[in-house]
Amino acid sequence: MMATNQNVTLKAYRYDPDVGQEPRYDSYQVPIDETTTVLEALYYILERVDGSLSFRSSCRSAVCGSCAMFINGMNRLACRTQIVALNSREVRIAPLPHLPVIKDLVVDMAGFWEKYERVRPYLITTVASPDKEWPQSEEERKAIEEAIDCILCACCHSSCTMSWWDKGYLGPAALLKAYRFAADSRDQAGLERLRLVANEDGVFRCHTIFNCTEDCPKGLSPTFAIQELKKRVLWKKLTFQM
Amino acid sequence: MKLTKRDVYLGRGLGMWAWLLHRVTGLLLVFYLILHILVISSSLGGSSLFDPLLRLLQTPLFVLLEMGLTAAVLIHGLNGIRIVLFDLGLGVRRQKEIFAVLMALAAAMWVWAVLVAYPNLFRVL
């Protein structure tokens, strides 16, 4: 552990398509104490050193998923990464790998959302809605408890080597969401849920590399969700239901 | 825009190394299989062709390669069991522990295999 109340060197990836220069890393000296987060350091730079630095952020409490960045070799949320915990004199920040850069640390998430849409990420019901609510037992709720915590920050999506090379692959985030609804007792889409993911751009592209599980800032396991979906698809196919 | 300016994501998790090891050993085994078929089929050309080949395979270089082959088979095979478990929905949340145990098993089996296959190894060296 480092001593507190001192400076660290923060190196941030800089690229502005309008200027057309080569991307570069700018170094900044940032004073920190034991609680300073990477996001706070970025705001320090923005407010006092260099107002041209671009990055996304919103809630500052790991709920919105806006500030996912590539920080010291891992995809993390800037807001929940304390600099002292990085245990390094240098903080190196780049935009999420393998996503197109719009400016500096801001990436184009269009492809990510397009995949998210493809799994139909909403409750599908065929019967009329009940007067009050769709009841769910404690156990039924437990089945989706983990998947519900996903904040769609794209840390997993950007760490998945299969997503890098197969641009059509749904990727861990969308598949976790697919599982979230496939496992939801209230959802009535039935086999349609599995059909959406039972192809080579779906669950079968996953090679269980576990980068997504490794990098998820919420500690979720998209790999587990994908394997559960694989198991369900396999069972339906083996019993000729699909 | 040059890609070299962008930091490269190097997976630091064990799962990535397990996957890489599985791929590399898999490719080595494919290469070995081709070599194996070539060597065995050369026996069709009679002893004048086959015997010198067999002598070549007993040289230190090929003995070493053989030990490497044993390691590749053990790593690929045992990690293969790990992957099959995942596809059955088992042990996904314990992947690191399963990998560690299986690789320890692979190491132990490799030492045993070498000792059995080359009982004279240490005397020769």
Side-chain angles (χ1 to χ4, degrees):
Chain A
M1 207 64 112
M2 283 188 311
T4 53
N5 297 316
Q6 53 181 328
N7 282 356
V8 288
T9 308
L10 191 147
K11 288 191 174 163
Y13 177 94
R14 303 300 307 272
Y15 173 67
D16 186 348
D18 293 337
V19 177
Q21 274 175 345
E22 285 287 306
R24 63 179 194 277
Y25 281 86
D26 281 353
S27 290
Y28 306 95
Q29 291 296 313
V30 181
I32 62 159
D33 62 27
E34 69 267 15
T35 64
T36 309
T37 62
V38 172
L39 187 62
E40 282 167 343
L42 286 172
Y43 269 114
Y44 174 87
I45 296 166
L46 184 72
E47 287 161 4
R48 308 192 193 193
V49 188
D50 184 351
S52 71
L53 180 68
S54 298
F55 56 91
R56 277 203 191 101
S57 79
S58 180
C59 76
R60 306 178 191 219
S61 50
V63 176
C64 75
S66 301
C67 64
M69 295 165 196
F70 188 53
I71 302 165
N72 282 19
M74 252 180 101
N75 291 342
R76 315 172 204 245
L77 294 177
C79 68
R80 79 169 301 168
T81 305
Q82 290 182 331
I83 290 174
V84 172
L86 290 173
N87 231 336
S88 164
R89 307 285 311 155
E90 189 184 294
V91 182
R92 194 175 170 89
I93 310 178
L96 286 178
H98 288 269
L99 291 175
V101 177
I102 295 173
K103 183 176 182 286
D104 299 342
L105 303 171
V106 179
V107 291
D108 184 0
M109 298 272 280
F112 178 79
W113 297 120
E114 182 264 316
K115 287 169 182 179
Y116 177 61
E117 280 291 312
R118 258 163 61 197
V119 299
R120 306 186 66 188
Y122 38 83
L123 203 67
I124 298 173
T125 56
T126 50
V127 299
S129 298
D131 287 339
K132 285 183 183 167
E133 73 271 317
W134 294 99
Q136 219 177 12
S137 73
E138 236 175 271
E139 232 163 66
E140 287 168 338
R141 159 71 210 217
K142 271 222 171 71
I144 54 170
E145 194 141 272
E146 184 188 13
I148 272 177
D149 278 349
C150 173
I151 57 173
L152 298 164
C153 64
C155 277
C156 60
H157 176 80
S158 162
S159 72
C160 173
T161 53
M162 291 302 135
S163 293
W164 299 351
W165 308 120
D166 176 3
K167 292 298 169 197
Y169 175 42
L170 284 169
L175 288 171
L176 179 73
K177 196 55 82 174
Y179 171 70
R180 179 243 172 280
F181 285 102
D184 194 320
S185 61
R186 299 162 296 184
D187 193 77
Q188 292 159 3
L191 284 179
E192 172 67 11
R193 287 278 174 218
L194 296 182
R195 278 200 198 95
L196 285 168
V197 300
N199 48 60
E200 64 172 341
D201 277 342
V203 286
F204 296 111
R205 182 63 73 204
C206 171
H207 288 238
T208 56
I209 294 171
F210 290 98
N211 277 357
C212 56
T213 307
E214 205 71 38
D215 276 13
C216 177
K218 302 295 270 189
L220 316 178
S221 181
T223 318
F224 177 80
I226 295 168
Q227 293 305 108
E228 281 297 306
L229 285 171
K230 272 186 197 169
K231 202 168 68 179
R232 285 169 193 226
V233 170
L234 189 67
W235 179 245
K236 293 287 178 197
K237 296 243 184 197
L238 282 176
T239 54
F240 300 103
Q241 296 179 60
M242 227 175 112
Chain B
M1 190 169 101
K2 277 185 191 160
L3 190 69
T4 47
K5 282 279 182 180
R6 191 103 173 248
D7 280 11
V8 176
Y9 183 98
L10 295 170
R12 296 202 287 195
L14 197 59
M16 180 101 148
W17 291 110
W19 172 80
L20 200 60
L21 210 55
H22 200 76
R23 275 288 154 109
V24 170
T25 52
L27 285 170
L28 287 174
L29 291 179
V30 168
F31 178 71
Y32 160 72
L33 204 64
I34 295 167
L35 213 65
H36 179 66
I37 290 167
L38 283 176
V39 168
I40 294 300
S41 57
S42 73
S43 66
L44 295 172
S47 62
S48 59
L49 186 62
F50 194 47
D51 289 352
L53 254 179
L54 282 190
R55 270 194 296 278
L56 176 71
L57 294 186
Q58 279 156 11
T59 56
L61 172 69
F62 278 90
V63 166
L64 233 104
L65 284 174
E66 203 165 41
M67 290 179 186
L69 173 70
T70 311
V73 168
L74 287 169
I75 290 169
H76 196 83
L78 288 169
N79 189 51
I81 293 173
R82 173 172 163 272
I83 295 169
V84 169
L85 285 178
F86 295 161
D87 284 346
L88 295 171
L90 299 170
V92 180
R93 292 187 198 276
R94 285 272 170 275
Q95 60 107 354
K96 288 184 184 179
E97 290 90 332
I98 294 171
F99 185 68
V101 167
L102 287 174
M103 288 306 108
L105 195 62
M109 286 170 82
W110 184 80
V111 170
W112 178 74
V114 167
L115 288 178
V116 168
Y118 309 104
N120 299 326
L121 182 68
F122 293 104
R123 212 165 349 128
V124 173
L125 296 176

